[in-house]
Structures are given as C-alpha cells and as structure tokens.
Amino acid sequence: MPKPAILVARAVFPEVIDKLAQHFEVEHNQADEAWSREQLLAKLQGKAGAFTTGGERIDADLVRACPQLKIVANMAVGFNNFDLPAMTSAKVLGTNTPDVLTETTADFGFALLMATARRVTESEHYLRAGKWTKWSFDMFAGSDVHGATLGILGMGRIGQGIARRGAHGFGMRVVYHNRSRLDAATEAACGASYVSKEELLRQADHLVLVLPYSAASHHAIGAAELAQMKPTATLVNIARGGIVDDAALAQALRERRIAAAGLDVFEGEPKVHPDLLTVPNVVLTPHIASATVPTRKAMAHLAADNLIGFLVHGKPLTPLNPEVLA
Ligand code: DGY
C-alpha cells in the first residue's frame, strides 16, 4: 500500500523528518521558505496530513480546498491559527502540543518578568554602548520581584507553573483571574488566590498574561486596563499578540503610566509596532518562550506522533476536536 502523503510546512529537526519518512511520503520545507497562502494550498493538494507551527491559517476555505486533508498537527500548544469548528465540520482533526512545554514556558515567563523588573536588557544596552563611566545610587534601579504581588491573567497549565515559581520560589503573593476559578486544592498548590479582573489589574506589581487568544481575549489589555494598573507595575505577555493593544501599551510605557513591559509576542508578528522599538522600558523577545532544545524537540516529536498516531494507528495523542474520531 502506498504511504500517505503529508506536508511539513516549516523547517524542523531533521530527526523528525526522518521519523515521519518511515510512515509517509513527506514533502518538507527544510529551506524554511515563506510560502504564500496559494503556495500552501497548492502543496496541500493530495496530502492527508500537515505539520504546522502556528503561523499557517487553517480555516473553512482551506479545508474546503483540500478535501484529502485529514489532520493538521500544530507544533504549538496554542491553536488560534485553527478555525476548529470549520475543521470539525470538514472532519479534519486538529492536534496541538500541550504539557511538553509547560515548565519551559513558565521558566521563560519568569525570566522575562525578572529582566523587565530589574531592567536587565536596558542596562546591558547602556553598557555595550560604552555609556557606563561611573556607578551611581539609582542607576537602573528597578522593582523587587521577591515579596511583590504577582498577578496572572489566564490560569491554565503555564499560568499555574508561573504561580508556583512566584509563590514558592520568590515568596510572592499570587493573585489570578481566569474564565473559571481553580479548585481549592489547585489554588493551594499554586499558592494563588482568585480575584476579579479589575482587582487583578489594581493589585498586581507584576502582571503576567498567559491566556489563549480568541475574539474574546482580543485587546484584553488596552488603554482602559493599563490605566487601572499601578504606575510602578510591570506587564509581561508570553501568551499571544493581539491580547495586548500594542499601540496603547507603547503610549503607556512612554508616558510612564506603567513602569515597564516584557513582550515575547506581538500583534502581527514578526512585525513589531514601531513605537515599541523606541521606548526604552520594554524588553522585547521574538516569541521564544518555549525555545529550549529539549522542549522544541519534544514539541516536534509530539506533533509527528500525532500524525503517525492518527494516520497510521487511528489514535492521535492530543486531539483538539476528538468528535472527528467518532
Ligand atoms: C505555543 O506553543 O503556542 C508557543 O507560542 C510556541 O508557538
């Protein structure tokens, strides 16, 4: 029997291509070319599966145009590039990569929080520019992380990982807001208390955003929300671009209405709002929260195992719309 054909839309670890090639006819993109939507559609013709990384929009038009497509395996925990209802109607399975990146992403959330509060990159740029000629008492004085109030918006697995680090590692008071409140045992394990969104904005010394992107969370932090935060507060976004109104944030940072921000994700990335590039009190990183070699390998293997699990054995590991399997 011929092997099913699949498309790997972006460059990935060669070992993952080798693994997939044991089961499939693989068309890959190891050159990591930027394909247009039309190119993606053309390459998907006749493919039973696709390996994506979050940048490829899988919507009603695409699934209609690719009738042989049975599964799209995202190498990401987030899946806002999927129109899941449209995929389900077309009986296309979507999978993501939960769990394997939780701790690594929580580590990075904390790294970005520390870098932002303690002005690590701003001071490094100053030093590299040869501007450091003498020590002074208030040079790059930031805000404390230990003992401060950590606010978390979105309390899924990654939010809980950040809460545990804050409560147990840094003696922080942790407050969170989420669509649904956690059970008491999970709250206790995270050392976190539930508050309203307004209270979260008002109380947090450091606010970390970890909620999924959807129409409902678009601009969840805009000018009105920033105005409710402390002028000494820091804001960290490791969730998705679009959750923060980047123009409003740049203005708030410039006017020092909040102290600083750390951003790993941006509206319309890889483009970054030009105003964010000119304010000094923001730490900017290129969507790398899950980027350690072991974690990216675990994500890539899980996406590959979803393709193999479904197309070869009928059993995906982490389906998002399992109703397709019924
Ligand atoms: C994810 O897994 O959703 C991260 O943002 C990496 O893309």
Side-chain angles (χ1 to χ4, degrees):
M1 217 166 71
K3 292 175 177 174
I6 65 158
L7 180 71
V8 181
R10 295 291 310 275
V12 71
F13 299 99
E15 69 192 49
V16 173
I17 300 288
D18 294 344
K19 176 182 193 164
L20 289 166
Q22 290 172 26
H23 304 276
F24 306 118
E25 286 303 329
V26 180
E27 180 174 354
H28 60 68
N29 183 13
Q30 290 301 80
D32 218 18
E33 285 166 5
W35 292 338
S36 66
R37 170 87 170 170
E38 290 66 38
Q39 284 172 306
L40 177 66
L41 285 179
K43 286 175 186 294
L44 279 172
Q45 295 311 307
K47 303 293 192 302
F51 181 118
T52 54
T53 58
E56 305 79 8
R57 195 159 40 85
I58 309 297
D59 56 16
D61 288 345
L62 184 140
V63 290
R64 202 175 307 116
C66 305
Q68 277 156 315
L69 194 62
K70 298 277 169 284
I71 172 172
V72 183
N74 233 13
M75 181 187 149
V77 67
F79 52 91
N80 54 301
N81 58 317
F82 287 177
D83 178 341
L84 214 50
M87 291 170 70
T88 305
S89 308
K91 297 217 169 314
V92 175
L93 186 75
T95 64
N96 68 339
T97 59
D99 300 319
V100 292
L101 48 63
T102 301
E103 298 303 326
T104 293
T105 305
D107 282 351
F108 187 82
F110 233 88
L112 197 50
L113 165 53
M114 297 288 289
T116 304
R118 298 301 309 273
R119 305 175 65 179
V120 171
T121 55
E122 195 187 345
S123 60
E124 188 195 354
H125 293 153
Y126 175 88
L127 181 151
R128 283 183 187 270
K131 294 180 182 168
W132 186 29
T133 53
K134 61 178 183 351
W135 182 92
S136 64
F137 74 99
D138 61 350
M139 190 167 61
F140 294 107
S143 54
D144 273 329
V145 172
H146 72 273
T149 296
L150 172 62
I152 301 176
L153 185 58
M155 199 60 158
R157 290 166 286 234
I158 297 168
Q160 291 171 36
I162 292 170
R164 287 194 303 273
R165 283 160 177 77
H168 307 314
F170 287 79
M172 300 177 88
R173 181 174 158 261
V174 183
V175 287
Y176 77 95
H177 183 74
N178 196 41
R179 261 183 319 186
S180 45
R181 187 172 174 169
L182 302 178
D183 61 67
T186 311
E187 279 189 358
C190 295
S193 314
Y194 181 82
V195 292
S196 66
K197 185 176 170 191
E198 291 67 34
E199 277 303 309
L200 184 79
L201 295 168
R202 211 178 56 75
Q203 292 184 20
D205 294 313
H206 306 289
L207 177 60
V208 183
L209 309 179
V210 211
L211 64 169
Y213 180 79
S214 66
S217 63
H218 181 74
H219 286 189
I221 301 293
E225 290 74 20
L226 291 162
Q228 294 173 63
M229 294 176 68
K230 298 179 185 181
T232 50
T234 61
L235 175 72
V236 170
N237 187 8
I238 57 164
R240 276 291 180 273
I243 289 174
V244 175
D245 177 341
D246 286 348
L249 175 62
Q251 192 176 348
L253 289 166
R254 178 167 288 119
E255 293 170 4
R256 305 273 165 176
R257 283 190 274 111
I258 66 168
L263 305 174
D264 186 49
V265 287
F266 305 88
E267 285 190 283
E269 65 186 49
K271 290 203 180 103
V272 176
H273 193 291
D275 292 356
L276 286 171
L277 296 171
T278 58
V279 284
N281 45 343
V282 60
V283 180
L284 305 168
T285 53
H287 202 145
I288 57 165
S290 64
T292 65
V293 174
T295 292
R296 285 283 165 88
K297 283 198 172 174
M299 292 166 69
H301 278 280
L302 179 51
D305 289 342
N306 271 312
L307 287 164
I308 298 164
F310 181 56
L311 290 174
V312 181
H313 307 295
K315 272 201 176 138
L317 301 181
T318 50
L320 290 164
N321 49 350
E323 53 273 39
V324 165
L325 305 169

